Amino acid sequence: MRFTISGLSRETISMHHIPFVFWDGSTTVGTSNLSTTPPLSTVSEKKIGSFKDFLVDFKSRIWVTYRKGFPPLKGRATVYTSDTGWGCMLRTGQMMLATVLQVHAFGRDWRKYPRTEPNFKDLIRFFGDSPEYPFSLHNLLKVGNDHLSKEYGEWYGPSTVAYVLSFPTRHH
């Protein structure tokens, strides 16, 4: 079977000594002997499990997406109770931060099922959509408004989201 990664064949990767772990679990690290090559990270060395293993892992990750019906955000001309159409990067930033906190608190191999840690629910609450929660949309928008003059309902780019997330992470 021939593998191509981003237009690079296995032979090209081998010729240029690019370390890589292929989906079939085999490794290629140039033409050198793997025993003399620096070890790959433990995450890279793991073989891909079954689809069932993937689903259990996927269902254990925190998913933050558009929401509606949260306490009103009063913009200049509009009152927002949904972030559909403008909150995607903020939700992505929340999801990335939630994942980092989850892995830090419970480890990468933690799974939500068959049990849920009581502290897991506390972690989820940090991202509730109300000003009382530190990583809420309301608090992130407040930082954006106070420090960057961003209006509610305005789209945030990746660097802006990283900036506004830095404020509540310093305090919690």
Side-chain angles (χ1 to χ4, degrees):
M1 183 180 291
R2 184 174 176 83
F3 292 88
T4 303
I5 302 354
S6 301
L8 297 176
S9 70
R10 189 182 287 241
E11 292 78 21
T12 302
I13 291 171
S14 180
M15 181 177 67
H16 293 287
H17 305 285
I18 303 169
F20 196 85
V21 176
F22 291 91
W23 286 106
D24 67 355
S26 65
T27 57
T28 296
V29 184
T31 56
S32 63
N33 184 330
L34 287 177
S35 63
T36 61
T37 303
L40 298 170
S41 72
T42 54
V43 174
S44 299
E45 289 176 348
K46 289 186 178 181
K47 293 207 179 203
I48 299 206
S50 69
F51 186 69
K52 181 182 174 188
D53 292 340
F54 166 77
L55 287 177
V56 170
D57 182 57
F58 184 78
K59 290 177 182 179
S60 297
R61 301 299 136 216
I62 298 170
W63 185 22
V64 183
T65 187
Y66 294 126
R67 297 182 191 149
K68 61 182 178 179
F70 49 71
L73 293 161
K74 294 179 176 99
R76 271 192 196 154
T78 308
V79 175
Y80 296 97
T81 57
S82 171
D83 61 331
T84 302
W86 57 270
C88 56
M89 285 306 304
L90 288 160
R91 296 305 186 177
T92 300
Q94 285 178 315
M95 190 165 28
M96 290 172 51
L97 179 58
T99 300
V100 166
L101 294 173
Q102 178 186 6
V103 170
H104 178 73
F106 307 116
R108 177 60 185 93
D109 293 330
W110 179 85
R111 300 294 180 262
K112 186 175 177 185
Y113 303 103
R115 65 184 177 11
T116 299
E117 302 276 340
N119 294 337
F120 182 74
K121 292 178 182 176
D122 293 336
L123 174 62
I124 297 296
R125 282 188 195 99
F126 282 145
F127 299 90
D129 281 329
S130 177
E132 67 192 78
Y133 301 111
F135 305 119
S136 69
L137 184 67
H138 295 70
N139 287 330
L140 299 180
L141 291 171
K142 183 173 179 357
V143 171
N145 186 266
D146 292 350
H147 294 269
L148 303 169
S149 301
K150 298 284 276 182
E151 289 297 320
Y152 295 164
E154 190 176 342
W155 185 82
Y156 282 49
S159 60
T160 306
V161 171
Y163 180 80
V164 299
L165 280 170
S166 72
F167 283 81
T169 55
R170 286 186 226 150
H171 303 290
H172 294 289

